[in-house]
Amino acid sequence: MRMKGRVALVTGAASGIGRAIAEAFAREGARVGVADVDAAGARTVAEAITASGGSALAVSMDVTREDQVTQGVDALVAHFGGVDVLVSNAGVQHIAAVVDCSFEAWRRLLAIHLDGAFLTTRACMRHMVAAGKGGCLLYMGSVHSVEASPLKAPYVAAKHGILGLARAVAKEGAPHGIWSNVIAPGFVRTPLVEKQIPEQARDLGISEQEVVKNVMLKNTVDGEFTTLDDVAQLAVFLASFPSRALTGQSVVVSHGWHMQ
Ligand code: NAD
């Protein structure tokens, strides 16, 4: 029960990594806001958490919409009495070479990752500062926050940008007891990754098996995918770390794909 009594908002929590973090937080005693643009998916996850004895609220939220973020965070605070932890996790991928990438696709990806991280940070920080109890901001970066790959320029740019936001709010948050860190996973088999395997195979002219072995897992130390539980355990560790010495950092969980 490392998170007992705390309230956490997790975006993109209807699926994949966000869902795993929301469930892990609830198992550790947190009351969780399950936020997603997929409102039905968010309800399903919140109901599953409640059915297993946890406490959760589904929050319908498109993180690119200022009004929806404000209303969603206000609703969470009204329901649970505050917000102590934000996990800015909602994200998408877009596979295209820069020369083939539409401006619309570029803007959509940056809006979800960066506008979403900014809007949810601002809304949660305002409540945290007003409550005067401090708080924890976690951002879902990626190995692509510190490495680049072809066909992923918008994603690589957005994930590098997340590092800057997390470091800036680590400095602005410190006087208020708010700390901020980035989780940077390697490849995890979620819908976001399953979708890009055939897309990369098509664009690179190789088989799907080669995409997995020679692209996704090529630089890991053991050829293994990172798991949902690996990432969720790291999120619990960072959210429950007992000292505010750990702030402005990124922690890479990638089977050694990137070593820092
Ligand atoms: P996923 O597709 O399983 O889940 C992403 C969730 O985000 C979905 O539920 C989707 O509805 C939600 N979402 C998308 N746009 C949204 C919006 N505008 N507002 C609110 N919610 C929105 O993907 P995932 O793999 O679990 O990815 C989660 C995060 O982890 C992303 O930020 C991704 O970049 C990051 N990440 C994933 C991997 C990986 O290998 N899967 C590796 C590193 C980082």
Side-chain angles (χ1 to χ4, degrees):
M1 286 290 177
R2 283 175 286 175
M3 295 184 65
K4 197 164 173 49
R6 294 170 72 202
V7 178
L9 177 70
V10 185
T11 69
S15 175
I17 290 173
R19 177 177 185 153
I21 291 174
E23 291 175 342
F25 278 8
R27 281 195 299 275
E28 295 288 345
R31 291 166 287 163
V32 185
V34 178
D36 208 288
V37 68
D38 172 4
R43 273 199 306 278
T44 302
V45 173
E47 282 164 14
I49 289 173
T50 309
S52 349
S55 184
L57 176 74
V59 181
S60 173
M61 179 194 287
D62 178 340
V63 296
T64 69
R65 293 274 308 272
E66 186 175 15
D67 54 342
Q68 292 188 20
V69 171
T70 305
Q71 283 160 21
V73 173
D74 286 352
L76 180 84
V77 169
H79 189 77
F80 286 133
V83 59
D84 304 297
V85 181
L86 165 68
V87 183
S88 170
N89 166 79
V92 293
Q93 180 55 281
H94 183 74
I95 300 297
V98 168
V99 289
D100 299 322
C101 185
S102 69
F103 189 33
E104 187 190 358
W106 165 271
R107 285 216 287 218
R108 176 173 173 268
L109 193 142
L110 264 73
I112 294 172
H113 288 266
L114 288 180
D115 295 359
F118 163 71
L119 290 171
T120 51
T121 297
R122 192 182 64 177
C124 289
M125 274 184 91
R126 283 176 173 168
H127 283 288
M128 289 170 178
V129 169
K133 292 189 302 169
C136 168
L137 304 170
L138 292 179
Y139 297 90
M140 198 50 60
S142 163
V143 167
H144 284 112
S145 297
V146 286
E147 298 266 358
S149 296
L151 307 179
K152 294 186 176 176
Y155 188 84
V156 170
K159 291 302 191 190
H160 276 63
I162 287 292
L163 287 183
L165 175 66
R167 289 170 179 158
V169 294
K171 295 199 171 188
E172 289 189 18
H176 305 284
I178 297 168
W179 71 105
S180 158
N181 290 295
V182 177
I183 296 171
F187 283 100
V188 183
R189 286 203 93 139
T190 65
L192 179 143
V193 161
E194 297 297 346
K195 180 170 174 287
Q196 68 179 271
I197 294 173
E199 292 173 349
Q200 289 214 53
R202 178 199 64 212
D203 287 8
L204 296 170
I206 58 178
S207 71
E208 293 187 18
Q209 290 79 359
E210 284 172 313
V211 170
V212 170
K213 190 160 181 283
N214 299 333
V215 178
M216 293 183 163
L217 304 179
K218 180 170 177 241
N219 294 316
T220 62
V221 295
D222 52 10
E224 297 279 341
F225 277 99
T226 302
T227 66
L228 289 172
D229 193 52
D230 294 329
V231 183
Q233 288 307 320
L234 178 57
V236 170
F237 172 81
L238 290 171
S240 58
F241 196 72
S243 147
R244 299 200 178 135
L246 188 54
T247 192
Q249 305 304 309
S250 57
V251 182
V252 181
V253 54
S254 70
H255 283 261
W257 167 12
H258 178 83
M259 298 188 188
Q260 55 182 9

